[in-house]
Coordinates of all heavy atoms in Angstrom, one line a residue:
E7 N 135.1 210.0 -4.2 CA 135.4 210.3 -2.8 C 136.8 211.0 -2.6 O 137.7 210.8 -3.4 CB 135.4 209.0 -1.9 CG 135.6 209.3 -0.5 CD 135.5 208.1 0.5 OE1 135.5 207.0 -0.2 OE2 135.7 208.2 1.6
V8 N 136.7 212.1 -1.9 CA 138.0 212.8 -1.5 C 138.5 212.6 -0.1 O 137.7 212.7 0.8 CB 137.8 214.4 -1.8 CG1 139.0 215.1 -1.5 CG2 137.4 214.5 -3.2
K9 N 139.7 212.3 0.1 CA 140.2 212.1 1.5 C 140.9 213.4 2.0 O 141.7 213.9 1.5 CB 141.2 211.0 1.5 CG 140.8 209.6 1.0 CD 139.8 209.0 2.1 CE 139.5 207.6 1.8 NZ 138.6 207.1 2.8
L10 N 140.1 213.9 3.0 CA 140.6 215.2 3.6 C 141.0 214.9 5.2 O 140.4 213.9 5.8 CB 139.5 216.3 3.7 CG 139.0 216.7 2.2 CD1 137.9 217.6 2.5 CD2 140.2 217.2 1.4
T11 N 142.0 215.7 5.6 CA 142.3 215.6 7.0 C 141.0 216.3 7.7 O 140.3 217.0 7.3 CB 143.6 216.2 7.4 OG1 143.5 217.7 7.2 CG2 144.8 215.7 6.5
P12 N 141.1 216.0 9.1 CA 140.0 216.7 10.0 C 140.0 218.2 9.8 O 139.0 218.8 9.7 CB 140.3 216.3 11.4 CG 140.9 214.9 11.3 CD 141.8 215.0 9.9
I13 N 141.2 218.9 9.8 CA 141.3 220.3 9.6 C 140.8 220.7 8.2 O 140.0 221.6 8.1 CB 142.8 220.7 9.8 CG1 143.0 220.6 11.3 CG2 142.9 222.2 9.4 CD1 142.3 221.5 12.3
E14 N 141.3 219.9 7.2 CA 140.8 220.3 5.9 C 139.3 220.2 5.7 O 138.7 221.1 5.1 CB 141.6 219.4 4.8 CG 143.0 219.7 4.8 CD 143.8 218.5 4.0 OE1 143.1 217.5 3.7 OE2 145.0 218.7 3.9
Y15 N 138.7 219.2 6.2 CA 137.3 219.0 6.2 C 136.6 220.1 6.9 O 135.6 220.5 6.3 CB 136.9 217.6 6.9 CG 135.4 217.4 6.9 CD1 134.7 216.8 5.9 CD2 134.7 217.7 8.2 CE1 133.5 216.6 6.0 CE2 133.3 217.8 8.1 CZ 132.7 217.0 7.0 OH 131.3 216.8 7.1
N16 N 137.0 220.5 8.0 CA 136.4 221.5 8.8 C 136.4 222.9 8.0 O 135.5 223.7 8.0 CB 137.0 221.6 10.2 CG 136.3 220.6 11.1 OD1 135.2 220.1 11.0 ND2 137.0 220.3 12.1
I17 N 137.6 223.2 7.5 CA 137.7 224.4 6.6 C 136.7 224.3 5.4 O 136.0 225.3 5.1 CB 139.2 224.7 6.1 CG1 140.0 224.9 7.4 CG2 139.2 225.7 5.2 CD1 141.4 225.0 7.0
L18 N 136.8 223.3 4.7 CA 135.9 223.2 3.6 C 134.4 223.2 4.0 O 133.6 223.9 3.3 CB 136.2 221.8 2.8 CG 135.4 221.7 1.5 CD1 135.5 222.7 0.5 CD2 135.6 220.3 0.9
L19 N 133.9 222.5 5.1 CA 132.6 222.5 5.6 C 132.2 224.0 5.9 O 131.1 224.4 5.4 CB 132.5 221.7 6.8 CG 131.1 221.6 7.4 CD1 130.1 221.1 6.5 CD2 131.2 220.8 8.7
F20 N 133.1 224.7 6.6 CA 132.7 226.1 6.9 C 132.5 226.9 5.8 O 131.4 227.7 5.7 CB 133.8 226.6 7.8 CG 133.7 228.1 8.1 CD1 132.6 228.6 9.0 CD2 134.6 229.0 7.7 CE1 132.5 229.9 9.2 CE2 134.5 230.4 7.8 CZ 133.4 230.8 8.7
L21 N 133.4 226.9 4.9 CA 133.3 227.7 3.6 C 132.1 227.3 2.7 O 131.4 228.1 2.2 CB 134.6 227.7 2.8 CG 135.8 228.3 3.5 CD1 137.1 228.2 2.6 CD2 135.5 229.8 3.8
T22 N 131.9 226.1 2.7 CA 130.7 225.5 1.8 C 129.5 225.8 2.6 O 128.5 226.2 1.7 CB 130.8 224.0 1.6 OG1 132.2 223.8 1.0 CG2 129.8 223.6 0.5
E23 N 129.3 225.8 3.8 CA 128.0 226.2 4.4 C 127.7 227.7 4.2 O 126.7 228.0 4.3 CB 128.2 225.8 6.0 CG 128.0 224.4 6.2 CD 128.0 224.0 7.8 OE1 128.7 224.7 8.5 OE2 127.3 223.0 8.2
N24 N 128.8 228.4 4.1 CA 128.7 229.9 3.8 C 129.0 230.2 2.5 O 129.6 231.3 2.3 CB 129.6 230.6 4.9 CG 129.1 230.3 6.3 OD1 128.1 231.0 6.7 ND2 129.8 229.5 7.0
R25 N 128.8 229.3 1.5 CA 129.2 229.7 0.1 C 128.7 230.9 -0.4 O 127.7 231.4 -0.2 CB 128.9 228.5 -0.8 CG 127.4 228.1 -0.6 CD 127.2 226.7 -1.4 NE 125.8 226.1 -1.3 CZ 125.4 225.5 -0.2 NH1 126.1 225.4 0.8 NH2 124.1 225.1 -0.3
G26 N 129.7 231.5 -1.1 CA 129.4 232.9 -1.7 C 130.0 234.1 -0.8 O 130.2 235.0 -1.3
R27 N 130.2 233.7 0.4 CA 130.7 234.8 1.4 C 132.3 234.7 1.4 O 132.9 233.5 1.4 CB 130.1 234.6 2.8 CG 128.6 234.9 2.8 CD 128.2 234.7 4.3 NE 129.0 235.5 5.3 CZ 128.9 235.3 6.5 NH1 128.1 234.4 7.2 NH2 129.5 236.1 7.3
V28 N 132.9 235.8 1.5 CA 134.3 235.8 1.6 C 134.8 235.9 3.2 O 134.3 236.8 3.9 CB 135.0 237.1 0.9 CG1 136.4 237.1 0.9 CG2 134.5 236.9 -0.6
F29 N 135.8 235.0 3.5 CA 136.3 235.2 4.9 C 137.8 235.3 4.9 O 138.5 234.7 4.0 CB 135.9 233.9 5.7 CG 134.4 233.6 5.8 CD1 133.8 232.9 4.9 CD2 133.8 234.0 7.0 CE1 132.4 232.8 5.1 CE2 132.5 233.9 7.2 CZ 131.7 233.2 6.2
N30 N 138.4 236.1 5.8 CA 139.8 236.3 5.8 C 140.3 235.2 6.6 O 139.6 234.4 7.2 CB 140.2 237.7 6.3 CG 139.6 237.9 7.8 OD1 139.6 237.1 8.6 ND2 139.3 239.2 8.0
T31 N 141.6 235.1 6.7 CA 142.3 234.0 7.4 C 142.0 234.0 8.8 O 141.7 232.9 9.3 CB 143.8 234.0 7.2 OG1 144.4 235.3 7.6 CG2 144.2 233.8 5.7
S32 N 141.9 235.1 9.5 CA 141.5 235.2 10.9 C 140.1 234.6 11.2 O 140.0 233.9 12.1 CB 141.7 236.6 11.5 OG 143.0 237.0 11.4
Q33 N 139.3 234.9 10.4 CA 137.9 234.5 10.5 C 137.8 232.9 10.3 O 137.0 232.3 11.1 CB 136.9 235.2 9.4 CG 136.8 236.8 9.8 CD 136.0 237.4 8.6 OE1 136.2 237.1 7.5 NE2 135.1 238.3 9.0
I34 N 138.5 232.5 9.3 CA 138.5 231.0 9.1 C 139.1 230.3 10.3 O 138.6 229.4 10.7 CB 139.2 230.7 7.9 CG1 138.4 231.3 6.6 CG2 139.3 229.2 7.5 CD1 139.2 231.2 5.2
Y35 N 140.3 230.8 10.8 CA 141.0 230.2 11.9 C 140.1 230.2 13.1 O 139.8 229.1 13.8 CB 142.2 230.9 12.2 CG 143.1 230.3 13.2 CD1 144.2 229.5 12.6 CD2 142.9 230.5 14.5 CE1 145.0 228.8 13.6 CE2 143.7 229.8 15.4 CZ 144.7 229.0 14.9 OH 145.5 228.3 15.9
E36 N 139.4 231.3 13.4 CA 138.6 231.3 14.6 C 137.4 230.5 14.5 O 136.9 229.9 15.4 CB 138.3 232.8 14.9 CG 139.4 233.8 15.3 CD 139.0 235.1 15.4 OE1 137.8 235.5 15.0 OE2 140.0 236.1 15.6
A37 N 136.8 230.3 13.3 CA 135.6 229.5 13.0 C 136.0 228.0 13.3 O 135.2 227.2 13.8 CB 135.0 229.7 11.8
V38 N 137.2 227.7 12.7 CA 137.5 226.2 12.7 C 138.3 225.8 13.9 O 138.0 224.7 14.4 CB 138.4 225.9 11.4 CG1 139.0 224.5 11.4 CG2 137.5 226.1 10.2
W39 N 139.2 226.7 14.4 CA 139.9 226.3 15.6 C 139.2 226.6 16.8 O 139.6 226.2 17.9 CB 141.2 227.0 15.7 CG 142.4 226.1 14.8 CD1 143.3 225.5 15.5 CD2 142.6 226.1 13.4 NE1 144.2 225.0 14.5 CE2 143.8 225.3 13.1 CE3 141.9 226.6 12.4 CZ2 144.2 225.0 12.0 CZ3 142.3 226.3 11.1 CH2 143.4 225.5 10.9
D40 N 138.2 227.5 16.7 CA 137.3 227.9 17.9 C 138.3 228.5 19.0 O 138.2 228.3 20.1 CB 136.7 226.7 18.6 CG 135.6 227.1 19.5 OD1 135.2 228.3 19.4 OD2 135.3 226.4 20.5
E41 N 139.2 229.4 18.4 CA 140.1 230.1 19.4 C 140.6 231.3 18.6 O 140.5 231.4 17.4 CB 141.3 229.3 19.9 CG 142.1 228.8 18.7 CD 143.2 227.8 19.2 OE1 142.9 227.0 20.0 OE2 144.3 227.9 18.6
D42 N 141.2 232.4 19.3 CA 141.7 233.5 18.7 C 142.8 233.2 17.7 O 143.6 232.3 17.8 CB 142.2 234.5 19.7 CG 141.0 235.0 20.6 OD1 140.0 234.9 20.2 OD2 141.5 235.5 21.7
A43 N 142.7 234.0 16.5 CA 143.6 233.7 15.5 C 145.1 234.2 16.0 O 145.2 235.4 16.3 CB 143.2 234.3 14.2
L44 N 146.2 233.4 15.9 CA 147.5 233.9 16.0 C 148.3 233.4 15.0 O 148.5 232.2 14.7 CB 148.0 233.2 17.4 CG 147.3 233.5 18.7 CD1 147.7 232.6 19.9 CD2 147.4 235.0 19.1
A45 N 148.9 234.3 14.3 CA 149.6 234.1 13.1 C 149.0 233.0 12.2 O 149.7 232.1 11.9 CB 151.1 233.7 13.5
S46 N 147.8 233.4 11.8 CA 147.1 232.3 11.0 C 147.2 232.3 9.6 O 146.9 231.2 8.9 CB 145.6 232.4 11.4 OG 145.1 233.8 11.0
D47 N 147.9 233.3 9.0 CA 147.8 233.4 7.5 C 148.5 232.2 6.9 O 148.0 231.6 6.0 CB 148.7 234.7 7.1 CG 147.8 236.0 7.5 OD1 146.7 235.8 8.0 OD2 148.4 237.0 7.1
N48 N 149.7 231.7 7.3 CA 150.4 230.7 6.7 C 149.6 229.4 6.9 O 149.7 228.5 6.0 CB 151.8 230.6 7.3 CG 152.7 231.8 6.9 OD1 152.4 232.4 5.9 ND2 153.7 231.9 7.7
I49 N 149.2 229.2 8.1 CA 148.5 228.0 8.4 C 147.2 227.7 7.4 O 147.1 226.7 6.9 CB 147.9 227.9 9.9 CG1 149.0 227.8 10.7 CG2 147.0 226.7 10.1 CD1 148.7 227.9 12.3

């Protein structure tokens, strides 16, 4: 078992459901946060 925070879980779930596809930081942020990406690279 791996312990993830809710944000980590949602990022991993999104990428795994779409495995094989490449997403930039803005696309990941918008998919997981469900809002426009603002300075999302570092996050």
Side-chain angles (χ1 to χ4, degrees):
E7 185 177 4
V8 177
K9 295 293 186 181
L10 300 179
T11 68
I13 288 294
E14 292 166 359
Y15 176 88
N16 280 335
I17 291 173
L18 182 61
L19 176 64
F20 171 68
L21 292 175
T22 305
E23 286 182 323
N24 295 280
R25 50 195 175 277
R27 293 180 56 190
V28 178
F29 295 90
N30 62 37
T31 55
S32 294
Q33 290 171 321
I34 296 172
Y35 190 96
E36 290 171 2
V38 173
W39 272 257
D40 193 26
E41 61 186 42
D42 292 340
L44 298 171
S46 60
D47 288 1
N48 290 337
I49 295 175

